[in-house]
Amino acid sequence: MTTSQLPLMGAAASGRAPLSLPTRVHLRRHILIPVAVTLLPVMALFLYGADRYLGEVERDHTQSAADIAVNVWREQINQQTERLSWFVARAQNDPLLRQAMERGDTGNLLTLTQSQLHDLAKAFGITHWYFMTPDQRVLLRVHAPSRRGDLIERKTMRDAAVGGAAVSGLEVGAMGTVTLRHVAPWRVGDRLIGYIEMGSDVDWFALQVKRQTGLDVVLALQKQYISADAFSQGKTHLGLTGQWSHDPGLVVLRNTLREVPGDLLRRVSDLGEQAGVSELTVEGRAKRWSGAVRDLTDSEGRSVAKLIVLRDVTKEQLASDREMRVAGVVSGMAVLLLLFVLLVRINEAGRRMERADSTMRLAAAAFEGQEGMMVLDVQGNIQQVNHAFTEISGYQPDEVLGKGTRRLWALDKHDRAFYQHIMDTLNETGRWQGELWSRHQDGGLYFLRLCLTLVSTGGQHATYCVGAFSDITARKEAEAQIERLAFYDPLTSLPNRRLLMDRVTHALVSARRSGHMGALLLIDLDHFKTLNDSLGHDRGDELLKLVASRLQLAVRDSDTVGRLGGDEFVVVLENLHVDPVLAVSQAQAVGNKLLQMMSQVFDLAAIEYHGGCSIGVSLFGGQYDINLDELLKQADLAMYAAKAAGRNALRFFDPAAQAEVARRVELEADMRKALTRHEFELFYQPQVNADGAVHGAEALLRWHQPQRGMVSPGEFIPLAEQSGLILPLGQWVLESACRQLVRWAQIPEMAHLSVAVNVSARQFRQADFVALVSDALERTGARPDLLKLELTESMLVDDMELVIDKMAALKVIGVVFSLDDFGTGYSSLHYLKRLPLDQLKIDQSFVRNVMSDGNDAAIVRTIVALADTLGLTVIAEGVETLEQRDFLLAQGCQHFQGYLFGRPVPSATFEDSLRA
């Protein structure tokens, strides 16, 4: 529906005379009888359709349940395949099992694995465990120790032997079992010592499906893959539940039912090739099931068995039958009631039409009045207008009758949502009243006060829409002029003091509600009186206009710029950071931007004027919970402090905030000087192996400032990150570490030492980071394989592919990578396996309480196990006690760093400690 149409529904009024009594009798004869004849077959069709619908619902429900069961089945197969792979790999890494396998010691193999298999079967359904010789003969069946020496010719075994890699798949066993198997070659170095296989019978998966979905499952094997004698042995030795004679093509292996329905297999066989997508309904003993069938394929892709999923719908069928009986009774009663109501309504309609005739005569008299009137039909076309319509819109009746209203509206003044709102309101309430722009016949615009009302001529749906409107253009122009004079500065068009105070009050309330900080900047032009006195007030007014324009360009749309009066302006910044320190930084950045813009040349009618301003800043929100008057006083005091400081300056009222800004500025300036004055120094903390031998060191940046003394890295490194100084500082650290490697290379007892260097996220994201590292190594001559770059997990969040590319490029030249503070940040295992890492570093937050906090101990075990699986080394930082070292060593951690082995010290002290 377009914006020129109104959402009216129903038929148009007939305009007939009031109904007489004979007419009412005529309507009853020609309406009631056809309706009764029509409703009876409709009721029958309804009952038939309801029955069909319930049947479809049952089938859809069963199909969905079967899909869920199959998904659970597949998920269990995938999970079990991963478990089998993991347990096989763990067995291969067991030195005792490997020694027994190499010697062919079946007795020792059985002793080491029999209890393990019992635990695995109970916990994970793992029922098969083979050890096979290189020529693929059974050395030991852990699950059947007496059977050995036979040749294994299954496809999984052949594929593992040919491919030389682990293979998994479903296979049919000799006695009718369907088993998920995982076979892997067992090598020691380049020598094949045999094969190891683990497997799970599929009846365990059936039980898992039953447990997770509540659905019954039947597994039926194709008879072409098993003989009757083999199946008979399976029933004797393995407890198979089916009967060979029940079906010529299928035989039941396992099921979760107490008793399999007699004709179940016949139904499955009848479905044939459609069994994978068809539903199955089986009638059993006093039960009714609805089911679906899916094929199961083995490792060779053959359909070897059927997975039959059954849902007990006995209760649902009884309920459905009851509902159909009730629906039949209710439908019959509804038809009788409808006929009775129709009879009553016919009589009522006649009486209403008589009353409507007199009402329409009164409405016609009221139609011609001072307001413009128009009547629209259900299509939104104009059916009737009055004389006032022509006077207001300029359109003659013959220009609009029978046509839509689109030409009346100023479509470019309101968006589509506005007109949609009108239609939605009409549909919901039957009435809309409001103001909108309209277009005159001559093309001019004017403002309307419009009221639309839906009118019904007797039915439930509206048949007409009546619109009454008046021209309020003159009134709106007057209101706009009054508002502008009341709330806006006539010279700069900025909010004046009155509107500005209202917006500041709103900002104070919003800050209390949201928790965000805000700032009020009071700006006073420097030497403005001198400009007025020397160049005249017209030039002063021109400067005020230019200042207003520049201020608006310098802030966000959500911020407020206003003029208090004279040469004073106000900028209100909202939604600053919740942290007061960061909010101060944001406000200072805006203030510095304003100072810069106000210092630029102003063109005052061919005169270049160099001005400036003094800015006072007062914060609000958070801990600065003050009222409007106090906020303005604080900003005013801060502004005068800026003037007292020499003008063209910015000052914060809050002493603590001002001190913080000054401290950060001073610290940043000292850092820039420190780079040129060589005040930074690298300290080295030893990294040791399990024997306590030092094999490397971590380079840690220290700053000894002449006036401040030793400055904490936690204080100056975040500021270096924020200011960008981390880039030259990080490059200095990298090159200094490389030079230290070169120095140690000349000392025989230290030539093996490596150096770990922390790399910041901002430093790593440099486009030429790889080139910078390569150049540093090339200029200094340091060995790349002794340089270890420590990355933090925060680097992995953005553009992972670029991170991997840079690491791979540096790995090519031999650089080593360690992931610092592992476990405290991103920790995505998906990306961890793709990163070309060499080492994981356990964060000291986990090491600190590892002896007292079970969670920290569990995390440490997990990190060590994960690193071992991925082939990475592990180093723990923050080791301070022998108990911590011993615990970490027991978990498999072989490298350590912390105060227990040495504190960070200058390079000379570090070297002396190694010589001692």
Side-chain angles (χ1 to χ4, degrees), residues 6-9 422-431 454:
L6 292 170
L8 306 180
M9 299 176 289
I422 295 176
M423 293 188 287
D424 292 342
T425 304
L426 274 174
N427 277 332
E428 293 173 4
T429 66
R431 178 183 174 83
L454 297 183

Side-chain angles (χ1 to χ4, degrees), residues 764 770 802-814 817 836:
F764 190 83
V770 174
L802 184 59
V803 171
I804 295 174
D805 291 342
K806 288 184 178 181
M807 293 178 66
L810 291 173
K811 287 287 289 183
V812 170
I813 64 176
F817 286 96

Side-chain angles (χ1 to χ4, degrees), residues 63 94 195 232 291 317 345 357 361 394 406 416 537 614 650 665 671 695 726 759 798 818 855 864 914:
Q63 187 68 33
D94 188 324
Y195 298 87
S232 178
Q317 185 64 37
R345 289 299 180 91
D357 182 65
R361 288 189 175 91
R406 186 180 182 87
R416 183 178 183 86
H537 288 278
S614 299
L650 179 145
V665 170
M671 286 179 62
H695 60 76
I726 195 66
V759 178
D798 298 323
S818 176
N855 291 331
V864 173
L914 293 183

Side-chain angles (χ1 to χ4, degrees), residues 814-840:
V815 175
V816 179
F817 286 96
S818 176
L819 189 56
D820 196 11
D821 302 336
F822 181 73
T824 63
Y826 193 55
S827 297
S828 170
L829 300 183
H830 172 68
Y831 287 120
L832 184 62
K833 68 179 184 179
R834 299 181 56 200
L835 293 172
L837 292 168
D838 302 278
Q839 185 181 76
L840 296 182

Side-chain angles (χ1 to χ4, degrees), residues 25 359 398 462 500 582 592 602 606 617:
V25 174
T359 302
D398 58 351
L500 187 60
L582 296 179
N592 289 337
F602 290 92
V617 183

Side-chain angles (χ1 to χ4, degrees), residues 15-30:
R16 293 182 179 177
L19 294 176
S20 62
L21 183 59
T23 303
R24 296 179 196 173
V25 174
H26 183 73
L27 283 176
R28 286 197 291 268
R29 185 171 65 249
H30 287 80

